[in-house]
């Protein structure tokens, strides 16, 4: 099966980069803000594997700390959207009736905004920074999780084993926790992984525009934006910041895509 | 068809109303006093504050404010820019052309290239070809456009120094210069959309290629090219058109970032500048207009889809 290789590639990328993000303070060769003025704008060398920027800061160290920011914000916003948006979608489908209609129409309205524009609007209200970026990206993904989890809940609610369980007197919470959520797990895993992939790109875009985490916290998007001013002198920080963003988004996308193949029974025959 | 069309129009009105409420609330959700924040430390005299509050309508109840604001919007009055004092509609009108040109050219490029790419990918079989096309399309989808743009700019500067590739000149003044400066931004903006569309087309083509009518077409002795382009493609295009509508919004949002890379004076740069100077009326109007346009584009795509597919009637 051809997808296996890509799935493993995605999983490996995610594990390696998550490791880099978590352990950045221990594995980074330098302090990300330490300036080595004599080694400014250098290419890859033995001392600085990925070169240095215009202040002589080590690109590898800044990229590792940049992963930390990127993963923390993307994960916080996607998990928040999963809990709030997914919860709303499941509750709407489970309740049905007007609660369902009102919730989903509200989600339609949020879904109508182009992603980046909505995120920019929210950051404009809350002011630039890590917390407001997380909130902005989380809000963007609310309707996506609500929609993705509502549809299978509608089907599962009518499934024979759920109806049977209800008939023998199982409570609502037991039905949701024991029967609904385990069956929603594949959808949740796939959607979370794919959303993390695009949330990473949105976070990087916002910090490229200067709306994400503020200096001196390292951020891959801002690293790319700042290195544009000395691009013709030293392209290395720009090259590696972009490669890091691409690999992070790519890893989660391959993982989500592979999970979809593995977990969706309709595709399993191929 | 009439019933589903009416239903879709109702949904359109509801979503547009909701979008206007959220855009309206933008100014009211700012923590603290919007008027004080907007004026900053320079001129915080009580008269100036009162005048700005009256201009923003902050001195009335929220409901009354919305009704008055919506009334003005419907008459084409979206407020005044804080920094220049000009009507925001004029400021936006001066910039929207650049963004529309970039978005439309990218859309055209993405669609024109996605059709042959999707067909080619659908015909290639075998697990190695399958894995390769999948990897390439996913790399395309996850490519950060602002990075690709930066790298293209760096590469072009090394290969052809002196060729103007950033900034903007009006098409009416210098058509060649205008299009020349659009080449790199269009590539950077269109690539993720091209990859996404090619993937959608490949999936629907592969589904269609197994259908009975394709077997009949082949059995009649039609050439493979005719089977693919005439019979399969025309049927596989329906999901493609629907995704193209959704991706129009993505392109519009993406252009905000790409404009920054190539110093294009479009709506995106206007909005990013407006955040820095807390120019909320300008941001509000840009958000409202762009989202309404996006909602309308998707409405038109849905209606075309209904007209094209007899099953939805």
């Amino acid at each position: 099966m051809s997808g296996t290789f890509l799935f493993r590639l995605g999983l490996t990328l995610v594990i390696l980069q998550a490791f880099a993000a978590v352990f950045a303070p221990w594995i980074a060769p330098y302090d990300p803000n330490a300036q080595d003025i004599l080694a400014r704008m250098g290419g890859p060398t033995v001392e600085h594997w990925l070169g240095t920027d215009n202040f002589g800061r080590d690109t590898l160290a800044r990229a590792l700390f940049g992963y930390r920011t990127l993963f923390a914000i993307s994960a916080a916003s996607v998990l928040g959207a999963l809990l709030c948006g997914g919860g709303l979608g499941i509750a709407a489908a489970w309740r049905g009736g007007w609660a369902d209609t009102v919730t989903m129409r509200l989600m339609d309205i949020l879904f109508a905004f182009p992603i980046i524009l909505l995120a920019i609007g929210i950051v404009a209200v809350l002011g630039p920074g890590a917390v407001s970026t997380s909130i902005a990206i989380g809000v963007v993904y609310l309707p996506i999780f609500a929609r993705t989890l509502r549809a299978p809940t509608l089907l599962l609610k009518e499934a024979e084993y759920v109806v049977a369980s209800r008939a023998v007197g199982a409570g609502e919470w037991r039905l949701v926790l024991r029967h609904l959520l385990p069956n929603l797990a594949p959808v949740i895993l796939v959607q979370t992984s794919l959303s993390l992939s695009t949330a990473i790109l949105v976070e990087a875009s916002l910090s490229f525009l200067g709306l994400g985490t503020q200096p001196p916290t390292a951020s891959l998007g801002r690293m790319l934006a700042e290195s544009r001013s000395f691009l013709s002198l030293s392209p290395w920080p720009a090259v590696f910041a972009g490669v890091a963003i691409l690999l992070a988004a790519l890893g989660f996308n391959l993982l989500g895509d592979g999970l979809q193949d593995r977990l969706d029974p309709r595709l399993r025959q191929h | 068809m009439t019933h589903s069309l009416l239903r879709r129009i109702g949904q359109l009105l509801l979503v547009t109303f909701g979008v206007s409420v959220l855009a309206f609330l933008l100014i009211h959700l700012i923590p603290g006093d919007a008027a004080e924040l907007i004026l900053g430390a320079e001129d915080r005299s009580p008269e100036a504050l009162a005048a700005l509050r009256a201009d923003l309508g902050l001195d009335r109840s929220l409901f009354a404010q919305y009704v008055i604001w919506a009334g003005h919007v419907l008459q084409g009055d979206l407020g005044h820019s804080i920094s220049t004092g000009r009507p925001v509609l004029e400021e936006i009108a001066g910039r929207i052309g650049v963004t529309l040109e970039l978005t439309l050219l990218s859309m055209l490029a993405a669609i024109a290239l996605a059709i042959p790419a999707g067909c080619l990918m659908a015909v290639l079989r075998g697990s190695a070809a399958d894995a390769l096309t999948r990897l390439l399309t996913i790399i395309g989808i996850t490519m950060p456009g602002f990075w690709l743009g930066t790298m293209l700019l760096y590469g072009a500067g090394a290969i052809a120094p002196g060729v103007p590739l950033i900034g903007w000149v009006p098409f009416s003044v210098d058509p060649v210069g205008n299009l020349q400066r659009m080449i790199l931004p269009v590539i950077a903006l269109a690539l993720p959309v091209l990859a996404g569309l090619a993937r959608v087309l490949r999936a629907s083509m592969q589904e269609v290629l197994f259908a009975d009518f394709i077997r009949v077409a082949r059995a009649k002795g039609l050439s493979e090219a005719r089977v693919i382009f005439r019979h399969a493609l025309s049927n596989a295009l329906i999901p493609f058109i629907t995704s193209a509508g959704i991706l129009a919004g993505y392109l519009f949002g993406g252009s905000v970032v790409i404009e920054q890379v190539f110093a294009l004076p479009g709506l995106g740069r206007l909005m990013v500048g407006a955040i820095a100077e807390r120019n909320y009326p300008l941001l509000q109007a840009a958000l409202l207009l762009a989202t309404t346009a996006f909602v309308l584009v998707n409405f038109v795509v849905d209606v075309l889809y209904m007209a094209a597919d007899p099953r939805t009637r």
Side-chain angles (χ1 to χ4, degrees), chain B residues 151-301:
Chain B
M151 291 296 109
L152 286 172
L153 213 48
Y154 177 70
I159 297 165
V163 179
L165 293 168
I166 60 165
W168 191 74
V169 287
F171 187 80
S172 53
V173 174
D174 178 6
V176 178
N178 171 285
L179 291 177
Q180 190 183 348
R181 288 173 175 82
M182 280 288 163
I183 297 172
L184 297 185
V186 165
I187 297 175
L189 186 56
L191 183 81
V193 173
L194 163 63
L197 284 175
R199 203 170 179 213
V200 170
L201 184 62
R202 173 180 191 256
S204 60
M205 275 291 273
Q206 282 189 329
E207 216 163 279
V208 170
L209 281 173
F210 284 108
D212 286 340
F213 70 92
I214 293 295
R215 198 170 303 163
V216 171
R218 285 210 176 103
K220 282 197 300 187
L222 295 182
S223 71
E224 189 63 20
R226 197 173 161 81
V227 169
I228 286 171
F229 289 110
R230 168 98 200 143
H231 292 260
L233 183 61
S234 56
N235 280 284
L237 276 178
I238 288 176
F240 181 84
I241 293 170
T242 321
S243 352
I246 293 168
L247 290 170
Y250 170 86
L251 282 173
F252 201 87
S255 73
V256 171
V257 189
I258 296 298
E259 282 168 20
Q260 210 69 17
V261 178
F262 294 96
L264 289 168
L267 191 63
R269 292 200 89 196
L270 188 68
M271 286 179 79
V272 173
I275 294 178
E277 58 193 21
R278 298 183 179 281
N279 199 339
Y280 293 108
L282 185 55
L283 267 174
Q284 184 181 47
L287 200 59
L288 178 68
L289 290 176
T291 308
T292 310
F294 178 41
V295 169
L296 283 173
V297 166
N298 275 305
F299 172 73
V300 171
V301 169

Side-chain angles (χ1 to χ4, degrees), chain A residues 2 6 105 109 112-114 117 120-121 124-125 197 201 205 208 224 228 231 235 238-239 242 246 249-250 253 257 261, chain B residues 14-15 18 22 26 29 31 127 130-131 134 138 142 146-147 150 154 199 256 260-261 275 280 283 287 290-291 294-295:
Chain A
S2 70
L6 296 181
R105 292 297 81 76
I109 293 166
F113 287 86
L117 292 193
I120 286 181
V125 168
S197 164
L201 293 174
S205 304
F208 178 77
L224 176 54
R228 279 162 31 86
L231 196 62
V239 170
L246 173 62
L250 181 65
N253 206 305
D257 202 55
D261 276 5
Chain B
L14 186 74
V15 168
L22 280 187
L26 181 76
L29 289 173
S127 59
D130 194 64
R134 197 189 270 215
I138 292 183
T142 51
F146 49 94
W147 178 63
T150 307
Y154 177 70
R199 203 170 179 213
V256 171
Q260 210 69 17
V261 178
I275 294 178
Y280 293 108
L283 267 174
L287 200 59
T291 308
F294 178 41
V295 169

Side-chain angles (χ1 to χ4, degrees), chain A residues 77-167:
Chain A
S77 51
V78 169
L79 288 181
L82 167 64
L83 291 177
C84 302
L88 277 174
I90 293 173
W94 196 258
R95 289 257 146 190
W98 64 267
D100 185 23
T101 312
V102 171
T103 312
M104 295 324 287
R105 292 297 81 76
L106 286 175
M107 292 297 127
D108 284 350
I109 293 166
L110 272 186
F111 195 70
F113 287 86
I115 288 182
I116 294 271
L117 292 193
L118 181 57
I120 286 181
I122 297 170
V123 173
V125 168
L126 301 176
V131 177
S132 39
T133 317
S134 313
I135 295 175
I137 302 174
V139 172
V140 165
Y141 284 88
L142 272 184
I144 295 174
F145 278 100
R147 286 183 168 193
T148 334
L149 290 183
R150 177 180 173 267
T153 307
L154 280 176
L155 291 177
L156 287 169
K157 174 170 100 155
E158 308 296 337
E160 275 178 18
Y161 62 87
V162 173
V163 177
S165 207
R166 195 192 294 270

